[in-house]
Amino acid sequence: MEKFTENKKKILIALAAIFIVFFVVINRGRISHNREIEKEKVISIENVQDFHLTSKSILLWDNQTLYFCDKSGELLKKINKKEEDLEIFFTNNYAFIYDRDLRKLYEYSELGEHLNTIKVPADVYNIKYQNKNIIIHGKEKGTEYLYTLKVDGSLEEAYKSDNYIFDFDILEPKKNYAISEITTSATGYKSIFTYVLNGNKSSKDYMSEVGLYVNVKPSSAILITDKNLYRSTKEETIHKEIPNISDAIVDKNNLYLIHSGIISRYNKNLDEKEKYILAASGEKITKVSNSIYVYGKNDIGGEIGSKNEFYTRIGSSIEKVEINGLTIGALKEGRVTIYKVINSRGTNKNTLRDLSKEQDK
C-alpha cells in the first residue's frame, strides 16, 4: 500500500510539472516583457550638427568641437579644433576629424583618446568600418581610391577607379571584396559591379541601374540596385526584380530588405521566405538584440515580425536617427535626444505610441 501511495505521488508530481511547462509555453507571450521606447533626456549641448552612438559613448559635433558623453548623455570630454574647414566622420567606435585644407585625419577612440594623425593623399569623402577594417574613400584628380588604415596610421591602397564608387564591401583586401561603381556616357548611365571571391575577379555591367548596396562573402557577392537584387557566385548570377528598395542588411544567410513599406526576408537563393507590412514609415533597417528594427524621420518600429511588434513616433522632421544596442539618438534643431528601449508589460502590438509631444521638453 505504501509503495502504491509513493508511486501515486510521483505521478502527480510529474503531471504537475507537465502542466506548468504547458502553461508557460502557452502563455509566454502574455507573461514575457514586451518592448517599448522611453525618452531618457535631451543632451544639454547645443548647435549639434552631427552625432554618433558607440558601444560606450555618445559623440557630438558642432563643426568645431567634438564632445564625448556617456550613454546617459553626461559630458566626459571635449576636443576643440580652431581650424576653419573641418568635417567629421563617424564609424563604429571611432571619430575622425578631417582638415580638408591639410588633408589630415585625426582619429579618436570612443572615449576621446587620440589614436592617429593620418595624412591622406586624396580628398576624403567617406570612412567605413567593415570586417575589422577601416576603409577611407578618397578622390584625387578624377580618380577615386579606397585605402585601408593600418594600426600605425599608414594607408594601403585597396582599390582605385576613374568611375564614381557608389558602395563597397571589403572583407579581405585583394582577396574578397565587392565594389559598385557608376559611369555615364552619351547612351546613358550604367552600374559596374566588380567582385573578387577568394582571389577570382569578375565584373558585370547593368545599364540604367544604380548599384545602391553591396555585400561580399568568400563564396558570393550581392548587389542591390534601384530595380533589382543580384547574387553572384563563381558559377552563376541570379536576380530578382524588386523596385523601391530603401535599405538592406545581411544577417548570416538571410537578406532583409525594406521596399515600398514592406520588409522581406530572402534566403541565399533569393527566395522570399517572410514578408512584413510596416504599420508606420521606415526607411532604414537594423538589428537590436537579434530583433529587426526600422526607423525613419518620424517613427521607429521594433520587434518587427514578432507578436511583440511595436511602433513609436519620436517627432517630426528629425534630421538623423541612430540606434546602437538599446540606445536611440535623434537629432533635431541642434539638439540630441536620447531614448532607451525598455521592457514593458503593456500590449504594444501594432500600436503607434506618440512621444513627439515630449520632444522639446
Side-chain angles (χ1 to χ4, degrees), residues 1 15 29 40 71 80-81 90-91 99 105 116 143 145 204 234-235 253 260 268 275 279 288 294-295 321 327 361:
M1 185 68 179
L15 289 173
E40 185 165 275
K71 292 306 283 280
N80 182 265
K81 293 285 186 180
F90 295 120
T91 185
D99 186 326
L105 281 168
N116 282 304
T143 300
Y145 297 86
K204 291 182 170 61
K234 293 178 184 178
E235 293 77 25
N253 288 325
S260 305
K268 64 180 182 179
K275 179 187 290 187
V288 177
V294 298
Y295 58 96
V321 174
T327 302
K361 292 183 180 179

Short mmCIF file of all heavy atoms in Angstrom, two decimals, residues 1 15 29 40 71 80-81 90-91 99 105 116 143 145 204 234-235 253 260 268 275 279 288 294-295 321 327 361:
data_model
loop_
_atom_site.label_atom_id
_atom_site.label_comp_id
_atom_site.label_asym_id
_atom_site.label_seq_id
_atom_site.Cartn_x
_atom_site.Cartn_y
_atom_site.Cartn_z
N MET A 1 0.83 -1.21 0.00
CA MET A 1 0.00 0.00 0.00
C MET A 1 0.86 1.26 0.00
O MET A 1 0.60 2.22 -0.69
CB MET A 1 -0.94 -0.01 1.23
CG MET A 1 -1.92 1.15 1.26
SD MET A 1 -3.14 0.98 -0.07
CE MET A 1 -4.13 2.43 0.27
N LEU A 15 2.76 14.99 -13.43
CA LEU A 15 1.64 15.66 -14.10
C LEU A 15 1.66 17.16 -13.83
O LEU A 15 1.39 17.98 -14.73
CB LEU A 15 0.32 15.04 -13.67
CG LEU A 15 0.02 13.63 -14.19
CD1 LEU A 15 -1.25 13.08 -13.53
CD2 LEU A 15 -0.13 13.64 -15.70
N GLY A 29 3.80 34.62 -24.24
CA GLY A 29 3.61 35.94 -24.82
C GLY A 29 2.92 36.90 -23.87
O GLY A 29 3.13 38.10 -23.90
N GLU A 40 14.70 59.41 -22.52
CA GLU A 40 15.54 59.50 -21.33
C GLU A 40 15.94 60.93 -21.02
O GLU A 40 15.75 61.42 -19.92
CB GLU A 40 16.79 58.64 -21.48
CG GLU A 40 17.64 58.60 -20.23
CD GLU A 40 18.66 57.48 -20.26
OE1 GLU A 40 18.29 56.36 -19.89
OE2 GLU A 40 19.80 57.75 -20.65
N LYS A 71 26.70 57.06 -21.98
CA LYS A 71 25.47 56.59 -22.63
C LYS A 71 24.20 57.25 -22.08
O LYS A 71 23.14 57.16 -22.68
CB LYS A 71 25.36 55.07 -22.52
CG LYS A 71 26.40 54.30 -23.32
CD LYS A 71 26.44 54.71 -24.79
CE LYS A 71 25.33 54.13 -25.61
NZ LYS A 71 25.50 52.76 -26.02
N ASN A 80 38.55 70.54 -28.88
CA ASN A 80 38.26 71.73 -29.67
C ASN A 80 39.33 71.93 -30.73
O ASN A 80 40.53 71.87 -30.45
CB ASN A 80 38.17 72.96 -28.76
CG ASN A 80 37.81 74.22 -29.54
OD1 ASN A 80 38.67 74.97 -29.94
ND2 ASN A 80 36.52 74.42 -29.74
N LYS A 81 38.88 72.15 -31.96
CA LYS A 81 39.78 72.44 -33.07
C LYS A 81 39.47 73.84 -33.59
O LYS A 81 38.31 74.19 -33.84
CB LYS A 81 39.61 71.42 -34.20
CG LYS A 81 40.05 70.00 -33.85
CD LYS A 81 41.56 69.90 -33.85
CE LYS A 81 42.02 68.47 -33.65
NZ LYS A 81 43.50 68.35 -33.65
N PHE A 90 32.14 59.58 -38.61
CA PHE A 90 31.94 58.62 -37.54
C PHE A 90 31.81 57.23 -38.15
O PHE A 90 31.13 57.05 -39.17
CB PHE A 90 30.66 58.92 -36.76
CG PHE A 90 30.69 60.22 -36.00
CD1 PHE A 90 29.74 61.21 -36.27
CD2 PHE A 90 31.63 60.46 -35.01
CE1 PHE A 90 29.74 62.40 -35.57
CE2 PHE A 90 31.63 61.65 -34.30
CZ PHE A 90 30.69 62.62 -34.58
N THR A 91 32.41 56.24 -37.53
CA THR A 91 32.21 54.86 -37.95
C THR A 91 32.57 53.93 -36.81
O THR A 91 33.58 54.13 -36.12
CB THR A 91 33.05 54.52 -39.20
OG1 THR A 91 32.74 53.20 -39.64
CG2 THR A 91 34.54 54.62 -38.94
N ASP A 99 40.68 67.73 -41.57
CA ASP A 99 41.10 69.05 -42.01
C ASP A 99 41.30 68.98 -43.51
O ASP A 99 42.29 68.44 -44.00
CB ASP A 99 42.41 69.43 -41.31
CG ASP A 99 42.83 70.87 -41.62
OD1 ASP A 99 42.58 71.33 -42.75
OD2 ASP A 99 43.41 71.52 -40.72
N LEU A 105 43.64 63.60 -41.21
CA LEU A 105 42.60 62.99 -40.39
C LEU A 105 43.13 62.81 -38.98
O LEU A 105 44.24 62.28 -38.79
CB LEU A 105 42.18 61.63 -40.96
CG LEU A 105 41.23 61.61 -42.15
CD1 LEU A 105 41.19 60.20 -42.75
CD2 LEU A 105 39.83 62.06 -41.76
N ASN A 116 45.56 58.37 -33.93
CA ASN A 116 46.44 58.58 -35.08
C ASN A 116 46.20 59.95 -35.70
O ASN A 116 45.08 60.49 -35.62
CB ASN A 116 46.19 57.53 -36.18
CG ASN A 116 46.83 56.19 -35.89
OD1 ASN A 116 48.04 56.12 -35.66
ND2 ASN A 116 46.04 55.13 -35.89
N THR A 143 40.25 60.50 -60.08
CA THR A 143 40.37 59.08 -59.73
C THR A 143 39.93 58.88 -58.28
O THR A 143 40.30 59.67 -57.40
CB THR A 143 41.81 58.59 -59.90
OG1 THR A 143 42.21 58.75 -61.26
CG2 THR A 143 41.94 57.12 -59.53
N TYR A 145 39.76 56.45 -54.81
CA TYR A 145 40.61 55.47 -54.14
C TYR A 145 39.91 54.92 -52.90
O TYR A 145 39.15 55.63 -52.23
CB TYR A 145 41.93 56.11 -53.70
CG TYR A 145 42.78 56.63 -54.82
CD1 TYR A 145 42.59 57.92 -55.33
CD2 TYR A 145 43.79 55.85 -55.37
CE1 TYR A 145 43.38 58.40 -56.36
CE2 TYR A 145 44.60 56.33 -56.40
CZ TYR A 145 44.38 57.61 -56.89
OH TYR A 145 45.17 58.09 -57.91
N LYS A 204 30.59 42.91 -63.91
CA LYS A 204 29.36 42.90 -64.71
C LYS A 204 28.81 44.31 -64.82
O LYS A 204 28.92 45.11 -63.88
CB LYS A 204 28.31 41.97 -64.08
CG LYS A 204 28.68 40.49 -64.15
CD LYS A 204 27.58 39.64 -63.55
CE LYS A 204 27.83 38.15 -63.83
NZ LYS A 204 29.08 37.68 -63.25
N LYS A 234 30.86 32.09 -58.30
CA LYS A 234 31.78 31.78 -59.39
C LYS A 234 31.05 31.15 -60.57
O LYS A 234 31.46 31.30 -61.73
CB LYS A 234 32.87 30.82 -58.91
CG LYS A 234 33.82 31.43 -57.88
CD LYS A 234 34.83 30.39 -57.43
CE LYS A 234 35.74 30.94 -56.34
NZ LYS A 234 36.71 29.92 -55.85
N GLU A 235 29.95 30.44 -60.26
CA GLU A 235 29.26 29.67 -61.30
C GLU A 235 28.16 30.44 -62.01
O GLU A 235 27.94 30.28 -63.21
CB GLU A 235 28.66 28.39 -60.71
CG GLU A 235 29.67 27.36 -60.22
CD GLU A 235 30.30 27.72 -58.89
OE1 GLU A 235 29.64 28.47 -58.13
OE2 GLU A 235 31.43 27.29 -58.61
N ASN A 253 22.83 33.94 -43.54
CA ASN A 253 22.32 33.59 -44.87
C ASN A 253 21.02 34.29 -45.21
O ASN A 253 20.39 33.98 -46.23
CB ASN A 253 22.12 32.07 -44.97
CG ASN A 253 23.43 31.31 -45.04
OD1 ASN A 253 24.40 31.79 -45.62
ND2 ASN A 253 23.48 30.15 -44.41
N SER A 260 8.97 49.72 -50.43
CA SER A 260 7.56 50.09 -50.55
C SER A 260 6.77 49.80 -49.27
O SER A 260 5.64 49.30 -49.32
CB SER A 260 6.91 49.37 -51.74
OG SER A 260 7.63 49.62 -52.92
N LYS A 268 19.56 32.62 -49.40
CA LYS A 268 20.68 32.80 -50.32
C LYS A 268 20.32 32.51 -51.77
O LYS A 268 21.06 32.90 -52.68
CB LYS A 268 21.86 31.92 -49.89
CG LYS A 268 21.58 30.44 -49.94
CD LYS A 268 22.81 29.66 -49.48
CE LYS A 268 22.59 28.16 -49.55
NZ LYS A 268 23.79 27.41 -49.12
N LYS A 275 7.46 38.06 -45.17
CA LYS A 275 7.12 39.42 -45.57
C LYS A 275 6.33 40.08 -44.45
O LYS A 275 5.39 39.50 -43.91
CB LYS A 275 6.30 39.43 -46.86
CG LYS A 275 5.90 40.83 -47.32
CD LYS A 275 4.94 40.76 -48.50
CE LYS A 275 5.65 40.27 -49.74
NZ LYS A 275 4.77 40.35 -50.94
N ALA A 279 3.55 49.15 -40.19
CA ALA A 279 2.41 49.96 -39.78
C ALA A 279 2.78 51.43 -39.61
O ALA A 279 1.95 52.24 -39.20
CB ALA A 279 1.82 49.42 -38.48
N VAL A 288 18.57 44.82 -33.40
CA VAL A 288 18.74 45.16 -31.99
C VAL A 288 18.44 43.90 -31.18
O VAL A 288 17.31 43.40 -31.21
CB VAL A 288 17.80 46.30 -31.55
CG1 VAL A 288 17.95 46.57 -30.06
CG2 VAL A 288 18.09 47.57 -32.35
N VAL A 294 13.14 49.09 -37.49
CA VAL A 294 13.14 50.02 -38.63
C VAL A 294 12.95 51.43 -38.10
O VAL A 294 12.39 51.64 -37.03
CB VAL A 294 12.02 49.68 -39.65
CG1 VAL A 294 12.22 48.30 -40.24
CG2 VAL A 294 10.64 49.80 -39.01
N TYR A 295 13.44 52.40 -38.87
CA TYR A 295 13.26 53.78 -38.44
C TYR A 295 13.32 54.72 -39.63
O TYR A 295 13.87 54.39 -40.69
CB TYR A 295 14.30 54.18 -37.39
CG TYR A 295 15.74 54.04 -37.81
CD1 TYR A 295 16.46 55.13 -38.31
CD2 TYR A 295 16.41 52.83 -37.72
CE1 TYR A 295 17.78 55.02 -38.69
CE2 TYR A 295 17.74 52.70 -38.10
CZ TYR A 295 18.42 53.80 -38.58
OH TYR A 295 19.73 53.68 -38.96
N VAL A 321 18.65 59.82 -37.10
CA VAL A 321 18.34 58.84 -36.06
C VAL A 321 19.43 57.77 -36.09
O VAL A 321 19.85 57.33 -37.18
CB VAL A 321 16.96 58.19 -36.26
CG1 VAL A 321 16.74 57.06 -35.25
CG2 VAL A 321 15.85 59.22 -36.14
N THR A 327 20.06 51.80 -27.05
CA THR A 327 20.07 53.26 -27.01
C THR A 327 19.73 53.83 -28.37
O THR A 327 20.22 53.36 -29.40
CB THR A 327 21.45 53.78 -26.56
OG1 THR A 327 21.78 53.24 -25.29
CG2 THR A 327 21.46 55.30 -26.46
N LYS A 361 10.68 68.89 -24.48
CA LYS A 361 10.62 69.12 -23.04
C LYS A 361 11.99 69.00 -22.42
O LYS A 361 12.81 68.22 -22.88
CB LYS A 361 9.65 68.11 -22.40
CG LYS A 361 8.20 68.37 -22.79
CD LYS A 361 7.29 67.39 -22.06
CE LYS A 361 5.84 67.62 -22.44
NZ LYS A 361 4.92 66.68 -21.77
#
